[in-house]
Structure formats: C-alpha cells, structure tokens
Amino acid sequence: MGQDRTRAVGDTDLEKYRARYGLMAVVISNLAIAAVAIFGVWRLDGDKAVIVGVLTAAFTAVSGMTTAYLGIKAVSNTARSIALGNGAARRPKEPDPAAPPVQRAP
C-alpha cells in the first residue's frame, strides 16, 4: 500500500512538472513568434499589405500552438482519469442481482 501511495504522489508531481514546463514552452514560443512579427513589421516600413500578412501569419501560429497545447493537455487529462478509474460516471451500470429479470416481447 505504501508503494502505491508513493507512486501516486510521484505521478502527481510528474503531471505538475509536465503542465508547468509545457505551458512555459508554449508561452516562450508565443513570445518568440510575437517578437519576430514585431521585428518584421518594423523592418517593412509601412507596406500595409505585407504587414497584414505578417500579422495574420503570427496570429495563426500563436493560436495554433496554444490550441494544440490545450487540446493535447485535455486529452491527456481525460485519458489519465479514465486509466486511474475516475470515469465511474461514464461506465454502464451493472444490473441489480436482486431485481427481477426484464420481460421481453416475442
């Protein structure tokens, strides 16, 4: 029993580290994309058509990366809760052995 408890605490800490560093990687990547977009806009000297393209690409990259991280994290959390047996509400209920059997029409 003690080993299971230690493993559960270790798994919880591991999940915290994964979440923390995964989020940190996404934030740093988004900041890098924003910095490159700002530098690109600054170097274009007012060419509005190209500036719109650069900003659109930067927004798409940031939203895509953030959405991917959140989606992967949600799926990971769901899979982990199912694997640990926390998905009892979704399991089909077993029939009550004391209840009479259901009559079926021929």
Side-chain angles (χ1 to χ4, degrees), residues 11-12 14-16 18-19 69-87 90:
D11 288 345
T12 303
L14 181 61
E15 279 299 314
K16 286 180 185 177
R18 284 181 182 168
Y69 170 75
L70 294 175
I72 291 168
K73 187 66 181 150
V75 169
S76 173
N77 289 344
T78 302
R80 184 171 186 270
S81 69
I82 290 172
L84 292 176
N86 296 340
R90 295 180 187 222

Side-chain angles (χ1 to χ4, degrees), residues 9 11 50 54 69 71 73-75 88 94 103:
V9 170
D11 288 345
V50 179
V54 168
Y69 170 75
K73 187 66 181 150
V75 169
E94 295 182 17
Q103 296 290 330

Side-chain angles (χ1 to χ4, degrees), residues 5 13-14 34 42 81 100:
R5 190 173 193 177
D13 288 340
L14 181 61
W42 172 65
S81 69

